[in-house]
Every structure is written in C-alpha cells, then in structure tokens.
Amino acid sequence: MKKTFQERLISIPLDQLTFIVPLPKKLIYYEQVLLSIPSVWSVQPALLFIKEDGDIAKLNSMDTASRLIQDPNLTAIVLCTDDEVIFREEILALFRECTLPIIQIRDGTLLGLFLQTSAPFHLYGQISTELYQFIDKGFIQIAEHLAAAFETPLLYLDENSQLLWQSGKENELRKARTWVNARQKQLAKNEPVNAADNDPGEPYDIYCIHAANLARQKLIASANLADWQKQMLDKLTGLTALMLQLEGMFQEQQQQFQEHFIYDLLYHKFESHKMMIKQGKTWGWNLEKPHHLLLIDPKISGSPADSNWMDEILTRLETYVSGKKEQFIIFPFEDQIVVLLEDGEIRTIHERKKFVLKAAADLEKELASQWRSFQFKIGIGKWYRETAFLNKSYQEAKLALRFGEIWLEDKNIYHIKELGGLRLLLHVHEEILSDYYREYLAQLIESDKNNGTEYIKTLKAYFRHHGLINEVAESLFVHPNTLRNRIKRIEEITGTDLQNSQEFMNLNIAIKVHSLLSQ
Amino acid sequence: MTYQIMFSFDSNRCIDCKTCEMACNAYYGLSHVHRRSVLSLKQEKTGHSIHLSMSCNHCRNPVCVSVCPENNFQKRRDGIVVHQAHNCRACMRCITACPFHAPKLNPKTNRADKCNFCVERIDRGLNPVCIENCVTGALSTIINADKQNPDPLKNSDIPIRRYTKPSIFIIDKKPGKIFLRKDEQV
C-alpha cells in the first residue's frame, strides 16, 4: 500500500526534524522501508531509514551516494541519530541536484510511524510532550529552520502588526515587509482566525497566534507552499500559541526578540533607517533622533553579596532617568549596560560633548553612591546624525573604555574623542611601538627590575598630574624633594629634559605605549 | 540567543603546507590576494618556531566596524564579521587599521576583501573551505556560547594583539618528548 512521506512527517515533533536536503513540494510516496543501505536497486518505491553510525558514514562516501541517487525507486532517506551529521559538500550537492530528500530525526521509536500501513492520525495527548520539547528548543530555532527548509520568509508581527522578528532570504523578506506595510490597517482589523481564511489571491498567508488574553500575534509566510508545508507552519503557530499561554514564556519570548533587536542595533547596519525606527518603537524606543551611546562597565571588587546586582543596577538607573527631562534608553548587553541618550542637532560640537559628559558623570555619581563596592567606568562613542551608525558608536565606546582605563587612569569616564591622537597608536605595528618605547625607557625598566627603583611608576604619575610636583609626590607618598631627585635621575638616564615640551611629549607617548603593550 | 563561532588552530599540527590558503583562493577564485595566510614566527618564551594560519579573527570588538566610513562591516548573530563590498570605496582605512591585516585590497575589484568564514557554507551546515581542506586537522571551528566572553587566548603565548578581542582559539605548541633507552650497566 502506498504511503505518503510528508503525511508522516507532520506527525513527527517539530523539534525532532532537521531537513538536511529539503523536500520537494509535491508528495512523495513509498511502499516499503529499507533499514540498511541496499546493495541493489529497490523493486518498489522505498524509503531508506538508517540509524547505524556505519551506514550514516557510508552515506557520506561518493560511491554510496552515486549508487543511491541512481536508484529510481528510492524516494527519501531518514537518518536517525542524536549527533550532528555533517555531509561533504559535493555529496550534499549531489543529493540536492537529484532531489533525493534527507531528513534527520533523533527518536528511533519513530520508525513505527513510517512502517504503519494506515495513515497516521495525530494524537492530541501527544501535544503536551511535543510542547515540552518545543519549549526546550525554542520558537526561533525551529522557525528559522523551517523558513530555510521551505524557502519562505517568516515574519512575526505583534498585535499592532509591528515586526518583532524575521527569518529568510533578505530580498524575500523585503518583499514580505512591503506587503505587510501596505496592509497594516487590514491586518489590524480583518485578521483571519486560521490559515484557511486567507485570501487565495494574496502572495502571503497569515497564521494567527492567539495567546489567551495576552496577545494576538501573527506569523506571515509565503502563500506559495504545499499543503503539508502549510500544515507544519500551522502546527508551529499552534504550539507557539500554547507556549505563550504561560505568561512567563510569553515574556521570555518577547525578551528574546528584544535581545535580537539589540544585537542588530549594536552590530548591524540596518538596511533601512525607517525599519530600524519602526522596530525600535515596538520596544517603546524613539530612535528617530540622534543618540549618544554610553557603555557602563560595572567592576566588582570582591564577590557581590547579591547575584542579581545587574537587575538592581538597571532598576536603579531606570528610576533615576525617569525623573530627568532628557530621554534615555537603557538595556544590558554582555555584562555591561548600554545607555542611549537622545541629543538633537541643535547643539554645537563643544556643547554636545559637555552635555554627554555631564550626563555620564551624573549616572556614575548616582551608581557609585549606591554601590560602593563597585567601580563604574563609562565609555562614550562618537555622536552620529543617524541612529543607523550606533553600531560604530558602540565599538568606539568599547575602545574608549578599553584604552581610557590604560591611559587616563585617574578618570572613570572616557570619551573616544579624549583619546585623541593616542588612538592612532592602535594602528601602528606592535614591533615599531615596542622599538619606540624601548628607545626611551629600556634603561629605566632595567633599573626598576634590578634595583627596585620606581622610575616607570614615577613617570606615569608625573604625566598623569601634568608635572605638578606636589600632586605627583602626594600620589606616590614621597617627599617632593625625593621626587625632584628621582625626576633628575630619570632625565639623566634617558637624556631628556622634561621641561622641554617636545621631549615631555615624546616620553609621555613612550610611557603610554609601554602601558598599552604591557596589558 | 547569540553566540560566537570561531576558528580553532592547533599549532602542534600545522605543517606549513598552505593548503588552507590555496583552498580559499581556489574556492573564491582569488588571485593576487590572500584571505588566509600561514605565518611563521618564533615564540619568545619557549623559542619554538611555529606556523600560524591566520585570516580574519571575527573579533568581539572589530576595529573595521568603527573605522569604515560607509559602515560596511556587520557582525552577524553567530559572530561572523562580514564585509558588504558593494558600497566599498577602497578608502583603505580597514586595511590599515586591522591589527591582523585581515582586509586586503582586491586588485580585481578594487575593493576591500576579507575572510567571511564562508558564511554561505556555514548557513548550509558545512565547514569553511580552509577547514575542510586542512590535511592535518590543525584548523577547526568551535562555538563559544558563553555570554561572559571568556578570552580564548587567555592561556596562549602567541604574540598577537588582543585589544579587538580576536575570536580565535590557539593551542600552543607543546615541546616534543624524546624517549631514550637507558643502557643497563653491565
């Protein structure tokens, strides 16, 4: 009796399915299941189900692959293994060209599903088990895989038809977004209850995700899919809606969508500025106006008593900025806190720098007063007229933070512009830098090492306090006369005169290069 | 959840055959420009000569992103830094700024060109061509899903600049062991 391959796949939990070589849209039939790689051609339409590691490895050889693709009765291959199967590219290309689909599943007991003669019926009782695994793997991973396997764009929209997440090829996504934008009002009013209500004339189908009273979200996919593919997407949305019934899961998924947006904001250049602004609005962020980017790095001395310190800092910051007239956007990212500070175009360059430094100082003061065991360092990137350049500003803030700590030790706030010409040192070859500082400091370093003199430390303090003897002496806990003698000795060893501005600068740079390379 | 996919390089296995370089050039049809290069250097501490296969290190803090005036560099959610060459004006900023000399000027296109971790292969579940063709298995990929971003070069003695937080894991060369038979005293 002929059995339909795709019909069986619908009964397999979505988290179990991996489309190694995607299926064609048309239905595939088979009459027998082969449990090992056949040495001769099959006499009737067959499905190859293999779970032995040896057989799976054989499939990755050109001889076996060439033999299998020539078998006119072999319709599909199912691999059953927990491990990731990596095929050689030419073999994968061969299977793809000959449209011999390969599916991977993890559960060996699913063999029964392919063997049973009657058409499978999905047991609702199995949903709870499938839901559990679905939650474990997560909507995003499963949906991304289906989008790639079905070659369809997938757009996840919130209740107001704003884009929360998307997956697929960029040109297809662009078309789908245009379609969604043109139908914003219709989407809000006439949402279909299920996929069957979709207008057959439209290029995209809407799958509704109703999570009790919490949300009525939508998944948009190409209408040009086979029925079994639509059924799978329907199952995806059904499971997602069930998952979202749990408020915690709903919040978690929203959090994941937000994390993706934040990553894109800090690491991507958005193709369209408009789209970035629109997505930002979903999270209540107005990215239309230019923003400064500040990066707060909390450094803990010792282990903090409370492990939720990051959440507490964020809450404190949000409370603090809510009383301010300036507009702030605050979110955590990779153990640091990103603060976006809105700043229009009316300020002069000088005013703008002053404005952001003042805001950073206020934030640092507020945090330092609350968490005394922490040290808060803040890096600030350049201001760009377009928010699409926030990714550059983020990298600059990280650079400012990294090198400010080395070169501007007495400060906690570092603006990328304050690093000034020193930034150029980053682009000089390390050996040239090394030669440069050794030229000036080699003897001082050797003396420090052999005799315990503190010449390098003294010079660092001397430059940090702009050569003011009393301040330098105080910071080093030595008498000013001791310091004067030490400076005189340094001048003798290096052959420089620190009262000469040119030589002062040369030695200062040598010290900064030394600090940079000693890190 | 985002993660960082990175090259792992075992310096004990590299034999300086340069197959990785050639495979990359053949796959992308490159001539007069190399996306991957095998360098030979001497470790200061141990005095060992090692070969190091380097391309773009897909840094955590990529300097190319901050210097490009056209904002042509993007870091994907899997951590791969890709260069969108269509807007490149060959201003040379990324080429000079990168501490690993990863971006290079492609004389054919007159645009900057760099390793893209074979993204199109990665998206299909395949390894980059350099790894696929490495005969000794010195090159491989690893995935760092740790949000704390531990420094993959923390225990390495390789003298490369680290301020951009290069996403490369290097296994340092270990001294070989020589077993000599002790003559029994008669």
Side-chain angles (χ1 to χ4, degrees), chain A residues 21 69 87-99, chain B residues 124 126:
Chain A
V21 175
I69 55 158
F87 277 93
R88 281 162 54 199
E89 198 202 359
E90 61 269 30
I91 289 178
L92 213 51
L94 202 63
F95 283 120
R96 205 174 282 131
E97 273 168 33
C98 301
T99 54
Chain B
R124 282 189 279 147
L126 301 168

Side-chain angles (χ1 to χ4, degrees), chain A residues 204-217:
Chain A
Y204 297 98
D205 281 345
I206 305 165
Y207 298 80
C208 287
I209 301 164
H210 293 243
N213 293 326
L214 291 166
R216 295 167 76 81
Q217 302 177 325

Side-chain angles (χ1 to χ4, degrees), chain A residues 144-209:
Chain A
E144 273 177 352
H145 184 62
L146 288 182
F150 297 169
E151 294 181 341
T152 173
L154 284 183
L155 281 76
Y156 196 109
L157 309 180
D158 72 0
E159 295 151 288
N160 304 316
S161 301
Q162 296 299 320
L163 183 67
L164 287 177
W165 171 88
Q166 59 182 348
S167 184
K169 287 181 183 158
E170 192 43 56
N171 55 342
E172 294 294 330
L173 285 173
R174 206 179 299 127
K175 281 184 208 164
R177 282 198 302 264
T178 316
W179 183 82
V180 168
N181 289 341
R183 281 159 189 78
Q184 285 283 351
K185 282 184 186 168
Q186 285 159 279
L187 283 171
K189 281 181 196 166
N190 310 318
E191 55 184 40
V193 175
N194 56 49
D197 291 346
N198 281 306
D199 184 348
E202 293 287 357
Y204 297 98
D205 281 345
I206 305 165
Y207 298 80
C208 287
I209 301 164

